[in-house]
Amino acid sequence: MLNFEDVLAQYEPMITANIRQLNIYREHEQYRQTGRVALWQAWRKFDKEKGNFTPYAYRSIRGAMMDEMMKENRSEERFMPAENEKLTLWIEEGVSEEEGWVDRLSQAVEQLAEEEKQLLNWLFVERDTQADCAKRLGISVAGVKKRRQRLLEKLRGVMEGGSE
């Protein structure tokens, strides 16, 4: 078989296609590298007598990317991002670094729809996982992540004096 640089050049479009097919919308370079490593491992392990390399490479690349996605999702569910720690403290304990934060938080929460308030309660007060919230709402975990992100952006906008 060819040297690995030639194989990588030939199969790089397959790596890109897998990123697109798996709807990976961030950390592209991380997943591209995961695909390259999987391709290299497939290239090293491949036995010509067992069939064609292309399907083997495809399964290897896709499987490695899916494993990486699962690891990332588990990590996100276990650990709340640091950017939200201040908001979490405000909601749970009432810790203040500035005067007027209670009024701004109250004003921000008042502007939320009922479903947003419920999600805020589940995530930050009851400390439910995103998977639990997804089951309650009847949507995917990705849907909860998007709603959570929009909710936090809306709250930040009001808390910083802007309006959403």
Side-chain angles (χ1 to χ4, degrees), residues 2-11 43:
L2 308 169
N3 67 27
F4 182 69
E5 288 79 21
D6 294 337
V7 172
L8 179 60
Q10 181 181 350
Y11 286 92
W43 177 72

Side-chain angles (χ1 to χ4, degrees), residues 26 71-93 119-131 133 144-145 148-149 151-152 155-156:
R26 61 182 181 172
K71 271 196 305 191
E72 188 175 310
N73 286 338
R74 278 193 299 263
S75 173
E76 284 180 3
E77 286 179 11
R78 286 190 195 127
F79 304 107
M80 183 173 293
E83 68 185 30
N84 301 320
E85 286 180 8
K86 187 174 181 179
L87 178 62
T88 303
L89 288 173
W90 285 351
I91 292 170
E92 291 176 349
E93 301 170 14
L119 183 60
L120 181 72
N121 181 56
W122 289 338
L123 289 171
F124 294 100
V125 178
E126 296 179 16
R127 309 285 287 179
D128 288 345
T129 65
Q130 292 177 359
C133 293
V144 170
K145 288 179 184 181
R148 178 180 174 274
Q149 181 180 358
L151 171 68
L152 292 173
L155 287 174
R156 277 190 205 105

Side-chain angles (χ1 to χ4, degrees), residues 48-61:
K48 290 179 188 177
E49 295 176 9
K50 292 189 177 181
N52 191 352
F53 179 70
T54 302
Y56 181 64
Y58 178 83
R59 285 190 312 273
S60 297
I61 292 167

